[in-house]
Amino acid sequence: MELPSTTFFKKKLREKVKDAVWEDVQKYGRSDLKIAAAREAILDSSGRCENCDCELNFGQWSRWCLNQFTLDRVDLSRPHAAGNLRLLCFYCNGRIGSTRDEDGLPRRYHYVKPACLSGCCPNDAPRVQRPTKVF
């Protein structure tokens, strides 16, 4: 797949890598992820979610876009790094990102995915409600 060359994509990729690095340092005390590894994972991908097979959104998206790409670890015992990345949509990563089968391999789930909160995803499912803060 070809990488978008937009400023938006470059900014969001940097943010996603920065968030993954922060998470890895908190969990593992180190991080091996570089932007180049994330870019390589995207280039090697089909541009589709490895769980639900939806088309990933690499362009403009709103905050709650369910099809925006995310970086997920294949092996949860290691930090994000080249060779330990897979691409999931925001919805699948939030829903199944940390579940694995008895061998520790990513499990594939099938379910009805709702439409984005922003309405930007090509899905006719009913829109989900925006989360609210509980005080």
Side-chain angles (χ1 to χ4, degrees), residues 96-131:
I96 61 125
S98 62
T99 59
R100 299 296 190 263
D101 64 15
E102 45 288 335
D103 296 321
L105 299 172
R107 190 174 275 170
R108 189 172 179 124
Y109 287 89
H110 301 282
Y111 45 79
V112 176
K113 183 176 173 180
C116 273
L117 295 169
S118 60
C120 63
C121 295
N123 187 335
D124 293 332
R127 294 173 102 185
V128 294
Q129 295 299 311
R130 195 174 290 277

PDB file of all heavy atoms in Angstrom, residues 96-131:
ATOM      1  N   ILE A  96     -10.698  -5.881  20.965  1.00  0.00           N
ATOM      2  CA  ILE A  96     -10.025  -7.179  21.055  1.00  0.00           C
ATOM      3  C   ILE A  96      -8.515  -7.085  21.087  1.00  0.00           C
ATOM      4  O   ILE A  96      -7.836  -8.097  21.065  1.00  0.00           O
ATOM      5  CB  ILE A  96     -10.425  -8.096  19.875  1.00  0.00           C
ATOM      6  CG1 ILE A  96     -10.020  -7.454  18.552  1.00  0.00           C
ATOM      7  CG2 ILE A  96     -11.888  -8.415  19.895  1.00  0.00           C
ATOM      8  CD1 ILE A  96      -9.170  -8.327  17.718  1.00  0.00           C
ATOM      9  N   GLY A  97      -7.969  -5.889  21.162  1.00  0.00           N
ATOM     10  CA  GLY A  97      -6.520  -5.719  21.067  1.00  0.00           C
ATOM     11  C   GLY A  97      -5.713  -6.547  22.045  1.00  0.00           C
ATOM     12  O   GLY A  97      -4.629  -6.991  21.744  1.00  0.00           O
ATOM     13  N   SER A  98      -6.252  -6.809  23.254  1.00  0.00           N
ATOM     14  CA  SER A  98      -5.468  -7.527  24.257  1.00  0.00           C
ATOM     15  C   SER A  98      -5.899  -8.986  24.425  1.00  0.00           C
ATOM     16  O   SER A  98      -5.411  -9.662  25.320  1.00  0.00           O
ATOM     17  CB  SER A  98      -5.571  -6.811  25.605  1.00  0.00           C
ATOM     18  OG  SER A  98      -6.909  -6.802  26.033  1.00  0.00           O
ATOM     19  N   THR A  99      -6.783  -9.475  23.588  1.00  0.00           N
ATOM     20  CA  THR A  99      -7.207 -10.871  23.715  1.00  0.00           C
ATOM     21  C   THR A  99      -6.373 -11.759  22.811  1.00  0.00           C
ATOM     22  O   THR A  99      -6.037 -11.394  21.697  1.00  0.00           O
ATOM     23  CB  THR A  99      -8.700 -11.041  23.372  1.00  0.00           C
ATOM     24  OG1 THR A  99      -8.914 -10.585  22.044  1.00  0.00           O
ATOM     25  CG2 THR A  99      -9.587 -10.263  24.324  1.00  0.00           C
ATOM     26  N   ARG A 100      -6.032 -12.923  23.303  1.00  0.00           N
ATOM     27  CA  ARG A 100      -5.244 -13.891  22.546  1.00  0.00           C
ATOM     28  C   ARG A 100      -5.804 -15.290  22.792  1.00  0.00           C
ATOM     29  O   ARG A 100      -6.494 -15.537  23.768  1.00  0.00           O
ATOM     30  CB  ARG A 100      -3.767 -13.862  22.987  1.00  0.00           C
ATOM     31  CG  ARG A 100      -3.065 -12.523  22.772  1.00  0.00           C
ATOM     32  CD  ARG A 100      -2.984 -12.187  21.299  1.00  0.00           C
ATOM     33  NE  ARG A 100      -2.151 -11.057  20.994  1.00  0.00           N
ATOM     34  CZ  ARG A 100      -2.588  -9.820  20.799  1.00  0.00           C
ATOM     35  NH1 ARG A 100      -3.857  -9.547  20.922  1.00  0.00           N
ATOM     36  NH2 ARG A 100      -1.766  -8.856  20.468  1.00  0.00           N
ATOM     37  N   ASP A 101      -5.450 -16.206  21.909  1.00  0.00           N
ATOM     38  CA  ASP A 101      -5.893 -17.589  22.090  1.00  0.00           C
ATOM     39  C   ASP A 101      -4.971 -18.298  23.080  1.00  0.00           C
ATOM     40  O   ASP A 101      -4.055 -17.692  23.645  1.00  0.00           O
ATOM     41  CB  ASP A 101      -5.981 -18.338  20.752  1.00  0.00           C
ATOM     42  CG  ASP A 101      -4.642 -18.497  20.059  1.00  0.00           C
ATOM     43  OD1 ASP A 101      -3.589 -18.296  20.707  1.00  0.00           O
ATOM     44  OD2 ASP A 101      -4.639 -18.832  18.866  1.00  0.00           O
ATOM     45  N   GLU A 102      -5.185 -19.593  23.294  1.00  0.00           N
ATOM     46  CA  GLU A 102      -4.388 -20.334  24.275  1.00  0.00           C
ATOM     47  C   GLU A 102      -2.904 -20.416  23.914  1.00  0.00           C
ATOM     48  O   GLU A 102      -2.061 -20.649  24.777  1.00  0.00           O
ATOM     49  CB  GLU A 102      -4.957 -21.729  24.526  1.00  0.00           C
ATOM     50  CG  GLU A 102      -5.385 -22.548  23.345  1.00  0.00           C
ATOM     51  CD  GLU A 102      -6.657 -22.110  22.622  1.00  0.00           C
ATOM     52  OE1 GLU A 102      -7.546 -21.464  23.189  1.00  0.00           O
ATOM     53  OE2 GLU A 102      -6.727 -22.421  21.439  1.00  0.00           O
ATOM     54  N   ASP A 103      -2.543 -20.186  22.651  1.00  0.00           N
ATOM     55  CA  ASP A 103      -1.138 -20.182  22.229  1.00  0.00           C
ATOM     56  C   ASP A 103      -0.527 -18.779  22.255  1.00  0.00           C
ATOM     57  O   ASP A 103       0.615 -18.593  21.848  1.00  0.00           O
ATOM     58  CB  ASP A 103      -1.006 -20.763  20.812  1.00  0.00           C
ATOM     59  CG  ASP A 103      -1.417 -22.228  20.757  1.00  0.00           C
ATOM     60  OD1 ASP A 103      -1.095 -22.962  21.718  1.00  0.00           O
ATOM     61  OD2 ASP A 103      -2.053 -22.622  19.766  1.00  0.00           O
ATOM     62  N   GLY A 104      -1.308 -17.793  22.687  1.00  0.00           N
ATOM     63  CA  GLY A 104      -0.813 -16.426  22.740  1.00  0.00           C
ATOM     64  C   GLY A 104      -0.894 -15.687  21.428  1.00  0.00           C
ATOM     65  O   GLY A 104      -0.386 -14.578  21.299  1.00  0.00           O
ATOM     66  N   LEU A 105      -1.530 -16.284  20.427  1.00  0.00           N
ATOM     67  CA  LEU A 105      -1.646 -15.655  19.111  1.00  0.00           C
ATOM     68  C   LEU A 105      -2.906 -14.799  19.038  1.00  0.00           C
ATOM     69  O   LEU A 105      -3.906 -15.102  19.699  1.00  0.00           O
ATOM     70  CB  LEU A 105      -1.670 -16.724  18.022  1.00  0.00           C
ATOM     71  CG  LEU A 105      -0.414 -17.595  17.955  1.00  0.00           C
ATOM     72  CD1 LEU A 105      -0.621 -18.743  16.987  1.00  0.00           C
ATOM     73  CD2 LEU A 105       0.796 -16.762  17.574  1.00  0.00           C
ATOM     74  N   PRO A 106      -2.862 -13.747  18.224  1.00  0.00           N
ATOM     75  CA  PRO A 106      -4.055 -12.903  18.098  1.00  0.00           C
ATOM     76  C   PRO A 106      -5.259 -13.720  17.656  1.00  0.00           C
ATOM     77  O   PRO A 106      -5.176 -14.555  16.763  1.00  0.00           O
ATOM     78  CB  PRO A 106      -3.668 -11.889  17.024  1.00  0.00           C
ATOM     79  CG  PRO A 106      -2.186 -11.882  17.020  1.00  0.00           C
ATOM     80  CD  PRO A 106      -1.772 -13.270  17.387  1.00  0.00           C
ATOM     81  N   ARG A 107      -6.354 -13.495  18.313  1.00  0.00           N
ATOM     82  CA  ARG A 107      -7.599 -14.179  17.991  1.00  0.00           C
ATOM     83  C   ARG A 107      -8.380 -13.300  17.034  1.00  0.00           C
ATOM     84  O   ARG A 107      -8.377 -12.087  17.141  1.00  0.00           O
ATOM     85  CB  ARG A 107      -8.375 -14.390  19.287  1.00  0.00           C
ATOM     86  CG  ARG A 107      -9.564 -15.278  19.155  1.00  0.00           C
ATOM     87  CD  ARG A 107     -10.160 -15.531  20.506  1.00  0.00           C
ATOM     88  NE  ARG A 107      -9.435 -16.651  21.106  1.00  0.00           N
ATOM     89  CZ  ARG A 107      -9.560 -17.019  22.362  1.00  0.00           C
ATOM     90  NH1 ARG A 107     -10.331 -16.357  23.168  1.00  0.00           N
ATOM     91  NH2 ARG A 107      -8.887 -18.042  22.818  1.00  0.00           N
ATOM     92  N   ARG A 108      -9.062 -13.889  16.084  1.00  0.00           N
ATOM     93  CA  ARG A 108      -9.879 -13.134  15.133  1.00  0.00           C
ATOM     94  C   ARG A 108     -11.338 -13.233  15.562  1.00  0.00           C
ATOM     95  O   ARG A 108     -11.846 -14.322  15.789  1.00  0.00           O
ATOM     96  CB  ARG A 108      -9.695 -13.681  13.724  1.00  0.00           C
ATOM     97  CG  ARG A 108     -10.337 -12.796  12.701  1.00  0.00           C
ATOM     98  CD  ARG A 108      -9.968 -13.250  11.303  1.00  0.00           C
ATOM     99  NE  ARG A 108     -10.620 -12.376  10.379  1.00  0.00           N
ATOM    100  CZ  ARG A 108     -10.001 -11.692   9.451  1.00  0.00           C
ATOM    101  NH1 ARG A 108      -8.718 -11.807   9.304  1.00  0.00           N
ATOM    102  NH2 ARG A 108     -10.657 -10.899   8.645  1.00  0.00           N
ATOM    103  N   TYR A 109     -11.991 -12.105  15.693  1.00  0.00           N
ATOM    104  CA  TYR A 109     -13.378 -12.057  16.132  1.00  0.00           C
ATOM    105  C   TYR A 109     -14.252 -11.544  15.002  1.00  0.00           C
ATOM    106  O   TYR A 109     -13.830 -10.696  14.219  1.00  0.00           O
ATOM    107  CB  TYR A 109     -13.524 -11.125  17.337  1.00  0.00           C
ATOM    108  CG  TYR A 109     -12.967 -11.714  18.594  1.00  0.00           C
ATOM    109  CD1 TYR A 109     -11.642 -11.534  18.940  1.00  0.00           C
ATOM    110  CD2 TYR A 109     -13.773 -12.460  19.441  1.00  0.00           C
ATOM    111  CE1 TYR A 109     -11.119 -12.080  20.093  1.00  0.00           C
ATOM    112  CE2 TYR A 109     -13.260 -13.011  20.603  1.00  0.00           C
ATOM    113  CZ  TYR A 109     -11.937 -12.816  20.922  1.00  0.00           C
ATOM    114  OH  TYR A 109     -11.431 -13.364  22.056  1.00  0.00           O
ATOM    115  N   HIS A 110     -15.454 -12.027  14.958  1.00  0.00           N
ATOM    116  CA  HIS A 110     -16.444 -11.562  13.982  1.00  0.00           C
ATOM    117  C   HIS A 110     -17.617 -10.989  14.755  1.00  0.00           C
ATOM    118  O   HIS A 110     -18.149 -11.630  15.652  1.00  0.00           O
ATOM    119  CB  HIS A 110     -16.906 -12.718  13.087  1.00  0.00           C
ATOM    120  CG  HIS A 110     -15.781 -13.351  12.338  1.00  0.00           C
ATOM    121  ND1 HIS A 110     -15.233 -12.781  11.219  1.00  0.00           N
ATOM    122  CD2 HIS A 110     -15.076 -14.476  12.566  1.00  0.00           C
ATOM    123  CE1 HIS A 110     -14.242 -13.541  10.778  1.00  0.00           C
ATOM    124  NE2 HIS A 110     -14.123 -14.581  11.585  1.00  0.00           N
ATOM    125  N   TYR A 111     -18.024  -9.791  14.405  1.00  0.00           N
ATOM    126  CA  TYR A 111     -19.122  -9.117  15.071  1.00  0.00           C
ATOM    127  C   TYR A 111     -19.639  -8.029  14.151  1.00  0.00           C
ATOM    128  O   TYR A 111     -19.003  -7.671  13.170  1.00  0.00           O
ATOM    129  CB  TYR A 111     -18.679  -8.515  16.411  1.00  0.00           C
ATOM    130  CG  TYR A 111     -17.366  -7.783  16.317  1.00  0.00           C
ATOM    131  CD1 TYR A 111     -17.298  -6.503  15.789  1.00  0.00           C
ATOM    132  CD2 TYR A 111     -16.181  -8.381  16.726  1.00  0.00           C
ATOM    133  CE1 TYR A 111     -16.101  -5.849  15.665  1.00  0.00           C
ATOM    134  CE2 TYR A 111     -14.973  -7.721  16.606  1.00  0.00           C
ATOM    135  CZ  TYR A 111     -14.941  -6.456  16.085  1.00  0.00           C
ATOM    136  OH  TYR A 111     -13.749  -5.812  15.961  1.00  0.00           O
ATOM    137  N   VAL A 112     -20.775  -7.495  14.490  1.00  0.00           N
ATOM    138  CA  VAL A 112     -21.337  -6.384  13.724  1.00  0.00           C
ATOM    139  C   VAL A 112     -20.709  -5.106  14.266  1.00  0.00           C
ATOM    140  O   VAL A 112     -20.806  -4.802  15.449  1.00  0.00           O
ATOM    141  CB  VAL A 112     -22.873  -6.331  13.866  1.00  0.00           C
ATOM    142  CG1 VAL A 112     -23.426  -5.108  13.148  1.00  0.00           C
ATOM    143  CG2 VAL A 112     -23.475  -7.602  13.334  1.00  0.00           C
ATOM    144  N   LYS A 113     -20.035  -4.409  13.395  1.00  0.00           N
ATOM    145  CA  LYS A 113     -19.345  -3.185  13.781  1.00  0.00           C
ATOM    146  C   LYS A 113     -20.279  -2.000  13.577  1.00  0.00           C
ATOM    147  O   LYS A 113     -20.867  -1.848  12.509  1.00  0.00           O
ATOM    148  CB  LYS A 113     -18.098  -3.044  12.919  1.00  0.00           C
ATOM    149  CG  LYS A 113     -17.239  -1.865  13.239  1.00  0.00           C
ATOM    150  CD  LYS A 113     -16.012  -1.947  12.347  1.00  0.00           C
ATOM    151  CE  LYS A 113     -15.150  -0.751  12.450  1.00  0.00           C
ATOM    152  NZ  LYS A 113     -13.992  -0.870  11.568  1.00  0.00           N
ATOM    153  N   PRO A 114     -20.429  -1.145  14.585  1.00  0.00           N
ATOM    154  CA  PRO A 114     -21.295   0.026  14.412  1.00  0.00           C
ATOM    155  C   PRO A 114     -20.643   1.063  13.502  1.00  0.00           C
ATOM    156  O   PRO A 114     -19.445   0.993  13.234  1.00  0.00           O
ATOM    157  CB  PRO A 114     -21.434   0.572  15.837  1.00  0.00           C
ATOM    158  CG  PRO A 114     -20.206   0.109  16.531  1.00  0.00           C
ATOM    159  CD  PRO A 114     -19.836  -1.211  15.907  1.00  0.00           C
ATOM    160  N   ALA A 115     -21.428   2.000  13.064  1.00  0.00           N
ATOM    161  CA  ALA A 115     -20.899   3.105  12.257  1.00  0.00           C
ATOM    162  C   ALA A 115     -20.167   4.080  13.168  1.00  0.00           C
ATOM    163  O   ALA A 115     -20.372   4.100  14.379  1.00  0.00           O
ATOM    164  CB  ALA A 115     -22.040   3.818  11.538  1.00  0.00           C
ATOM    165  N   CYS A 116     -19.302   4.861  12.591  1.00  0.00           N
ATOM    166  CA  CYS A 116     -18.536   5.849  13.354  1.00  0.00           C
ATOM    167  C   CYS A 116     -19.440   6.871  14.020  1.00  0.00           C
ATOM    168  O   CYS A 116     -20.518   7.184  13.527  1.00  0.00           O
ATOM    169  CB  CYS A 116     -17.613   6.620  12.415  1.00  0.00           C
ATOM    170  SG  CYS A 116     -16.061   5.822  12.182  1.00  0.00           S
ATOM    171  N   LEU A 117     -18.937   7.420  15.107  1.00  0.00           N
ATOM    172  CA  LEU A 117     -19.647   8.509  15.772  1.00  0.00           C
ATOM    173  C   LEU A 117     -19.703   9.733  14.869  1.00  0.00           C
ATOM    174  O   LEU A 117     -20.646  10.496  14.903  1.00  0.00           O
ATOM    175  CB  LEU A 117     -18.938   8.875  17.073  1.00  0.00           C
ATOM    176  CG  LEU A 117     -18.937   7.789  18.132  1.00  0.00           C
ATOM    177  CD1 LEU A 117     -17.996   8.152  19.263  1.00  0.00           C
ATOM    178  CD2 LEU A 117     -20.324   7.567  18.656  1.00  0.00           C
ATOM    179  N   SER A 118     -18.671   9.899  14.061  1.00  0.00           N
ATOM    180  CA  SER A 118     -18.611  11.062  13.178  1.00  0.00           C
ATOM    181  C   SER A 118     -19.331  10.812  11.855  1.00  0.00           C
ATOM    182  O   SER A 118     -19.494  11.724  11.065  1.00  0.00           O
ATOM    183  CB  SER A 118     -17.160  11.422  12.901  1.00  0.00           C
ATOM    184  OG  SER A 118     -16.518  10.333  12.271  1.00  0.00           O
ATOM    185  N   GLY A 119     -19.707   9.540  11.604  1.00  0.00           N
ATOM    186  CA  GLY A 119     -20.384   9.204  10.358  1.00  0.00           C
ATOM    187  C   GLY A 119     -19.449   9.113   9.172  1.00  0.00           C
ATOM    188  O   GLY A 119     -19.880   9.077   8.028  1.00  0.00           O
ATOM    189  N   CYS A 120     -18.136   9.025   9.410  1.00  0.00           N
ATOM    190  CA  CYS A 120     -17.174   9.046   8.310  1.00  0.00           C
ATOM    191  C   CYS A 120     -16.869   7.662   7.745  1.00  0.00           C
ATOM    192  O   CYS A 120     -16.261   7.555   6.691  1.00  0.00           O
ATOM    193  CB  CYS A 120     -15.884   9.712   8.755  1.00  0.00           C
ATOM    194  SG  CYS A 120     -15.035   8.853  10.081  1.00  0.00           S
ATOM    195  N   CYS A 121     -17.264   6.589   8.438  1.00  0.00           N
ATOM    196  CA  CYS A 121     -16.945   5.243   7.970  1.00  0.00           C
ATOM    197  C   CYS A 121     -18.029   4.725   7.039  1.00  0.00           C
ATOM    198  O   CYS A 121     -19.208   4.950   7.279  1.00  0.00           O
ATOM    199  CB  CYS A 121     -16.797   4.284   9.142  1.00  0.00           C
ATOM    200  SG  CYS A 121     -15.409   4.690  10.189  1.00  0.00           S
ATOM    201  N   PRO A 122     -17.646   4.009   6.003  1.00  0.00           N
ATOM    202  CA  PRO A 122     -18.630   3.474   5.056  1.00  0.00           C
ATOM    203  C   PRO A 122     -19.317   2.234   5.617  1.00  0.00           C
ATOM    204  O   PRO A 122     -19.010   1.118   5.264  1.00  0.00           O
ATOM    205  CB  PRO A 122     -17.771   3.132   3.832  1.00  0.00           C
ATOM    206  CG  PRO A 122     -16.433   2.837   4.412  1.00  0.00           C
ATOM    207  CD  PRO A 122     -16.286   3.708   5.615  1.00  0.00           C
ATOM    208  N   ASN A 123     -20.241   2.440   6.540  1.00  0.00           N
ATOM    209  CA  ASN A 123     -20.936   1.347   7.202  1.00  0.00           C
ATOM    210  C   ASN A 123     -22.367   1.804   7.451  1.00  0.00           C
ATOM    211  O   ASN A 123     -22.590   2.892   7.964  1.00  0.00           O
ATOM    212  CB  ASN A 123     -20.217   1.017   8.518  1.00  0.00           C
ATOM    213  CG  ASN A 123     -20.761  -0.216   9.183  1.00  0.00           C
ATOM    214  OD1 ASN A 123     -21.906  -0.594   8.979  1.00  0.00           O
ATOM    215  ND2 ASN A 123     -19.948  -0.849   9.982  1.00  0.00           N
ATOM    216  N   ASP A 124     -23.336   0.976   7.139  1.00  0.00           N
ATOM    217  CA  ASP A 124     -24.735   1.352   7.306  1.00  0.00           C
ATOM    218  C   ASP A 124     -25.284   1.004   8.678  1.00  0.00           C
ATOM    219  O   ASP A 124     -26.463   1.174   8.936  1.00  0.00           O
ATOM    220  CB  ASP A 124     -25.599   0.664   6.243  1.00  0.00           C
ATOM    221  CG  ASP A 124     -25.281   1.178   4.854  1.00  0.00           C
ATOM    222  OD1 ASP A 124     -24.855   2.346   4.740  1.00  0.00           O
ATOM    223  OD2 ASP A 124     -25.450   0.422   3.887  1.00  0.00           O
ATOM    224  N   ALA A 125     -24.452   0.499   9.569  1.00  0.00           N
ATOM    225  CA  ALA A 125     -24.907   0.132  10.908  1.00  0.00           C
ATOM    226  C   ALA A 125     -25.329   1.385  11.671  1.00  0.00           C
ATOM    227  O   ALA A 125     -24.901   2.495  11.349  1.00  0.00           O
ATOM    228  CB  ALA A 125     -23.789  -0.583  11.651  1.00  0.00           C
ATOM    229  N   PRO A 126     -26.162   1.219  12.692  1.00  0.00           N
ATOM    230  CA  PRO A 126     -26.569   2.388  13.481  1.00  0.00           C
ATOM    231  C   PRO A 126     -25.376   3.038  14.158  1.00  0.00           C
ATOM    232  O   PRO A 126     -24.433   2.365  14.537  1.00  0.00           O
ATOM    233  CB  PRO A 126     -27.525   1.801  14.525  1.00  0.00           C
ATOM    234  CG  PRO A 126     -27.576   0.352  14.315  1.00  0.00           C
ATOM    235  CD  PRO A 126     -26.716  -0.016  13.158  1.00  0.00           C
ATOM    236  N   ARG A 127     -25.435   4.330  14.300  1.00  0.00           N
ATOM    237  CA  ARG A 127     -24.344   5.053  14.940  1.00  0.00           C
ATOM    238  C   ARG A 127     -24.360   4.781  16.438  1.00  0.00           C
ATOM    239  O   ARG A 127     -25.413   4.700  17.057  1.00  0.00           O
ATOM    240  CB  ARG A 127     -24.483   6.548  14.699  1.00  0.00           C
ATOM    241  CG  ARG A 127     -24.308   6.910  13.238  1.00  0.00           C
ATOM    242  CD  ARG A 127     -24.628   8.343  13.030  1.00  0.00           C
ATOM    243  NE  ARG A 127     -23.384   9.087  12.928  1.00  0.00           N
ATOM    244  CZ  ARG A 127     -23.322  10.386  12.844  1.00  0.00           C
ATOM    245  NH1 ARG A 127     -24.404  11.102  12.876  1.00  0.00           N
ATOM    246  NH2 ARG A 127     -22.168  10.985  12.738  1.00  0.00           N
ATOM    247  N   VAL A 128     -23.187   4.662  17.034  1.00  0.00           N
ATOM    248  CA  VAL A 128     -23.095   4.458  18.478  1.00  0.00           C
ATOM    249  C   VAL A 128     -23.130   5.808  19.164  1.00  0.00           C
ATOM    250  O   VAL A 128     -22.861   6.839  18.547  1.00  0.00           O
ATOM    251  CB  VAL A 128     -21.808   3.698  18.865  1.00  0.00           C
ATOM    252  CG1 VAL A 128     -21.839   2.286  18.329  1.00  0.00           C
ATOM    253  CG2 VAL A 128     -20.577   4.415  18.384  1.00  0.00           C
ATOM    254  N   GLN A 129     -23.464   5.811  20.428  1.00  0.00           N
ATOM    255  CA  GLN A 129     -23.547   7.053  21.178  1.00  0.00           C
ATOM    256  C   GLN A 129     -22.166   7.479  21.635  1.00  0.00           C
ATOM    257  O   GLN A 129     -21.334   6.659  21.991  1.00  0.00           O
ATOM    258  CB  GLN A 129     -24.460   6.892  22.395  1.00  0.00           C
ATOM    259  CG  GLN A 129     -25.912   6.628  22.021  1.00  0.00           C
ATOM    260  CD  GLN A 129     -26.496   7.771  21.225  1.00  0.00           C
ATOM    261  OE1 GLN A 129     -26.369   8.933  21.604  1.00  0.00           O
ATOM    262  NE2 GLN A 129     -27.136   7.449  20.116  1.00  0.00           N
ATOM    263  N   ARG A 130     -21.937   8.759  21.632  1.00  0.00           N
ATOM    264  CA  ARG A 130     -20.662   9.314  22.086  1.00  0.00           C
ATOM    265  C   ARG A 130     -20.532   9.047  23.588  1.00  0.00           C
ATOM    266  O   ARG A 130     -21.487   9.229  24.341  1.00  0.00           O
ATOM    267  CB  ARG A 130     -20.659  10.816  21.816  1.00  0.00           C
ATOM    268  CG  ARG A 130     -19.306  11.443  21.899  1.00  0.00           C
ATOM    269  CD  ARG A 130     -19.362  12.888  21.468  1.00  0.00           C
ATOM    270  NE  ARG A 130     -19.604  13.071  20.055  1.00  0.00           N
ATOM    271  CZ  ARG A 130     -18.670  13.015  19.115  1.00  0.00           C
ATOM    272  NH1 ARG A 130     -17.441  12.770  19.450  1.00  0.00           N
ATOM    273  NH2 ARG A 130     -18.974  13.208  17.855  1.00  0.00           N
ATOM    274  N   PRO A 131     -19.373   8.577  24.065  1.00  0.00           N
ATOM    275  CA  PRO A 131     -19.194   8.317  25.485  1.00  0.00           C
ATOM    276  C   PRO A 131     -19.386   9.599  26.295  1.00  0.00           C
ATOM    277  O   PRO A 131     -19.053  10.686  25.839  1.00  0.00           O
ATOM    278  CB  PRO A 131     -17.756   7.832  25.598  1.00  0.00           C
ATOM    279  CG  PRO A 131     -17.333   7.509  24.229  1.00  0.00           C
ATOM    280  CD  PRO A 131     -18.194   8.264  23.281  1.00  0.00           C
TER     281      PRO A 131
END
